[in-house]
Amino acid sequence: MSEIIEKSVRDKFPDAVIESGDSDGTLMLRLEPKFLVDVSEFLKDSPELKFDYLACVSGVDWSDRLEVVYHLQSLSLKHKLVLKVDADRDDPKLPSLTSVWAGANFQEREAYDMFGIVFEGHPDPRRILLTEDWEGYPLRKDYVSPD
Amino acid sequence: MSVRIKTEEIMVNMGPQHPSTHGVLRLVLMLDGEVVTDCRPDIGYLHRGIEKLSENRTYIQIIPLTDRCDYLSAMMNNAVYVQAVEKLAGIEVPERAEWIRVIVMELQRIASHLVFIGTFALDLGATTPFIYCFREREDILDLFEMLCGARLTYNYMRFGGVSKDLPEGFYGKCKAYIAKQRARIPEYDELFSTNEIMLLRTRGVAVISGEEAVDLSLSGPSLRASGVEYDVRRADPYSVYDKLRFSVVLREEGDTLARYLCRVEEIRQSLLIIEQALDMVPSGNPVPKTSLGFKPPEGEVYHHIESSRGDLGVYLISDGSNKPYRLKWRGPSFMNLAAIGKLVRGWKVADVVAILGSLDIVLGEVDR
């Protein structure tokens, strides 16, 4: 199945995939951020792929860059996929996936809250777990706690 | 002659100290008369930074932290974390330990669903079911206390097994509990599930279609009540669930009542699982030797299980040191709560309490 998924994405968007690999036995595709929304829509709507379920959105700080990891599932066709996109550490901006999967809403807010990643097009881009006036982004590796 | 009265929208805070929010949750409601026009959940009151703490703890020190996410499903939180680490490090788990884990996880599911039934009834103004459910839950907590000395935060699972073997007398006590619990479920149904007031307040209330529920990443009984057959125990079997006979409880209505009824039926299914598992536990030693200097290899893993509330996932990245580089929790309560705005819109203030109750969230898991 992994080959089919990778091939259909590469055929449809020849410039979107930067790297493909394996994440814990699941196909991983690292995408060019500007293609993220289009590829996601394709993954969701394509009748052979039907990635209808956004299971998990995680931010990661790799010190030289920030990364967002999307764990996708197809509940109807029972397969999985991992998408990764990189964001610039000094000006982290990525397109929001809330227009594709409603389940992205809270999870993107959490990634903003903890890593400062701005999701452009998010309908409610506020902090979620911390207070509005909190300074800094706690899950960044260089974060210094206030006390 | 009817006169149209001019009304103004009013903002009402429900919580953070409100008896029906099951913890500290603030719902900001916009009301037009009694009708909810918008609802924004304000969360984070219970945020302890568990993901940040985990980056500064050794792998074994994190197990007690997991107890404190969804504290009504501590066994499942233990399990999802240790299984993720086992997957990453390639640790073999003795079969006896796997079966014991299934037994305690299903007991946990029942205990959690009993809290749900009791508190849900309480939310609707019925106090008796709460006492009934907590009476039975006590038996499960006694079993857990026998097993590991704790009643809420168990710290029971270990990499490659569990911290203690089943104690003498556990088998008999557990069997007796199963028989008792089975006989008690019809009591709940008589008292509450078929109660006129209960039905009036829940049937047809806040219907969500299967498609919308999937789009919102709902999971657990809150998703299966809308007819979507997604249960991680079947969809992505872990532990020894593929050797067990049970059915995934589904309902088609997608309303508040269906979300309630799914959980009641799941108690029956869990009893069935525990009964089979008790008879299938092989002999052996389920307690591994724990090494304090444990370091898994570099890599990443995503593991998920079906907790009492739904799809509970862990995304773990290791840099080869003795502490995780990143440990992300995918809590079903967090995801399910995100649907509240959509669910309550157009319903009355009094319905909000029932609808929120039917999602069965635990704030410890929402806020982490």
Side-chain angles (χ1 to χ4, degrees), chain B residues 63-354:
Chain B
I63 303 174
L65 282 182
T66 70
D67 283 326
R68 285 146 180 86
C69 286
D70 173 357
Y71 40 74
L72 293 182
S73 305
M75 286 295 188
M76 279 114 165
N77 289 260
N78 274 192
V80 73
Y81 170 67
V82 300
Q83 285 173 346
V85 174
E86 283 160 1
K87 219 162 144 185
L88 187 67
I91 299 171
E92 287 275 336
V93 182
E95 218 184 318
R96 183 172 174 83
E98 290 285 16
W99 285 95
I100 294 176
R101 284 180 183 179
V102 165
I103 293 169
V104 296
M105 283 195 282
E106 293 305 322
L107 283 170
Q108 182 79 88
R109 191 184 313 279
I110 298 174
S112 172
H113 284 359
L114 287 173
V115 174
F116 161 75
I117 298 171
T119 53
F120 186 62
L122 215 48
D123 288 346
L124 296 180
T127 44
T128 314
F130 182 80
I131 308 296
Y132 276 40
C133 291
F134 271 60
R135 178 187 60 191
E136 271 80 79
R137 176 173 177 259
E138 196 61 20
D139 288 353
I140 300 177
L141 298 190
D142 284 348
L143 284 166
F144 284 161
E145 198 176 354
M146 254 177 109
L147 195 61
C148 59
R151 294 163 57 82
L152 197 67
T153 47
Y154 311 108
N155 188 16
Y156 180 59
M157 311 261 175
R158 293 288 180 273
F159 308 133
V162 292
S163 69
K164 300 235 166 30
D165 199 354
L166 295 182
E168 193 93 19
F170 185 92
Y171 181 89
K173 234 184 142 185
C174 194
K175 281 266 169 175
Y177 159 73
I178 293 171
K180 186 159 131 196
Q181 182 65 67
R182 259 211 190 104
R184 291 276 163 84
I185 298 172
E187 262 181 43
Y188 309 156
D189 284 342
E190 238 173 274
L191 182 69
F192 190 55
S193 310
T194 55
N195 178 291
E196 186 75 23
I197 301 168
M198 150 81 173
L199 294 179
L200 279 170
R201 292 203 53 191
T202 56
R203 184 176 280 159
V205 173
V207 177
I208 184 160
S209 73
E211 207 174 312
E212 287 170 319
V214 170
D215 191 40
L216 281 160
S217 305
L218 289 189
S219 60
S222 301
L223 175 66
R224 292 189 287 272
S226 296
V228 181
E229 194 175 345
Y230 176 57
D231 183 318
V232 185
R233 290 174 293 175
R234 282 284 184 248
D236 215 349
Y238 50 95
S239 217
V240 285
Y241 278 105
D242 50 350
K243 292 176 189 144
L244 288 156
R245 186 172 44 83
F246 68 99
S247 35
V248 174
V249 181
L250 283 182
R251 293 198 71 93
E252 296 298 327
E253 302 88 341
D255 60 359
T256 303
L257 179 63
R259 288 187 280 276
Y260 163 83
L261 291 173
C262 265
R263 295 192 176 90
V264 178
E265 186 55 35
E266 281 195 8
I267 294 182
R268 289 202 178 90
Q269 295 301 324
S270 292
L271 289 172
L272 198 67
I273 294 175
I274 300 163
E275 206 167 35
Q276 295 170 59
L278 278 175
D279 291 330
M280 286 163 89
V281 184
S283 54
N285 176 21
V287 183
K289 282 204 178 69
T290 304
S291 118
L292 291 174
F294 174 74
K295 283 182 194 167
E298 229 175 285
E300 64 175 46
V301 68
Y302 182 77
H303 181 63
H304 63 158
I305 66 171
E306 186 72 26
S307 88
S308 319
R309 278 160 194 82
D311 187 345
L312 171 66
V314 156
Y315 179 49
L316 172 65
I317 302 176
S318 156
D319 59 358
S321 71
N322 61 351
K323 293 169 188 150
Y325 187 77
R326 173 86 171 98
L327 180 66
K328 154 87 185 178
W329 284 91
R330 188 262 187 224
S333 293
F334 183 73
M335 300 307 298
N336 291 353
L337 178 64
I340 189 78
K342 191 180 181 69
L343 283 171
V344 299
R345 212 161 291 145
W347 293 93
K348 302 237 165 80
V349 187
D351 296 322
V352 174
V353 174

Side-chain angles (χ1 to χ4, degrees), chain A:
Chain A
M1 192 60 212
S2 295
E3 296 82 47
I4 303 172
I5 299 170
E6 185 174 351
K7 189 174 180 303
S8 35
V9 173
R10 281 186 189 271
D11 284 355
K12 180 90 181 169
F13 305 95
D15 305 320
V17 182
I18 301 171
E19 173 198 4
S20 70
D22 171 88
S23 164
D24 185 26
T26 305
L27 173 69
M28 183 283 291
L29 298 176
R30 188 179 300 280
L31 299 180
E32 194 70 62
K34 64 179 178 202
F35 291 102
L36 181 62
V37 176
D38 291 340
V39 172
S40 300
E41 271 170 7
F42 171 71
L43 289 169
K44 188 185 181 188
D45 298 335
S46 155
E48 300 90 63
L49 304 178
K50 272 195 196 160
F51 282 100
D52 48 10
Y53 197 75
L54 178 60
C56 186
V57 178
S58 323
V60 185
D61 182 2
W62 288 108
S63 296
D64 56 335
R65 66 194 157 88
L66 296 174
E67 180 182 79
V68 178
V69 184
Y70 303 87
H71 285 88
L72 300 178
Q73 267 171 266
S74 168
L75 297 193
S76 43
L77 300 176
K78 302 193 191 329
H79 51 238
K80 296 192 240 175
L81 176 65
V82 178
L83 295 180
K84 291 186 180 178
V85 282
D86 291 336
D88 183 8
R89 215 164 174 280
D90 299 318
D91 182 26
K93 284 199 180 87
L94 287 175
S96 169
L97 289 183
T98 42
S99 61
V100 188
W101 294 285
N105 188 323
F106 268 33
Q107 304 201 72
E108 287 183 350
R109 279 179 66 190
E110 190 189 339
Y112 166 66
D113 203 359
M114 297 296 156
F115 293 91
I117 301 164
V118 176
F119 291 90
E120 291 175 307
H122 193 290
D124 189 18
R126 292 177 299 133
R127 285 194 183 264
I128 187 163
L129 293 172
L130 303 175
T131 51
E132 297 275 323
D133 56 354
W134 194 272
E135 278 173 33
Y137 304 102
L139 282 177
R140 286 204 185 188
K141 292 288 178 186
D142 56 359
Y143 177 77
V144 183
S145 67
D147 44 38

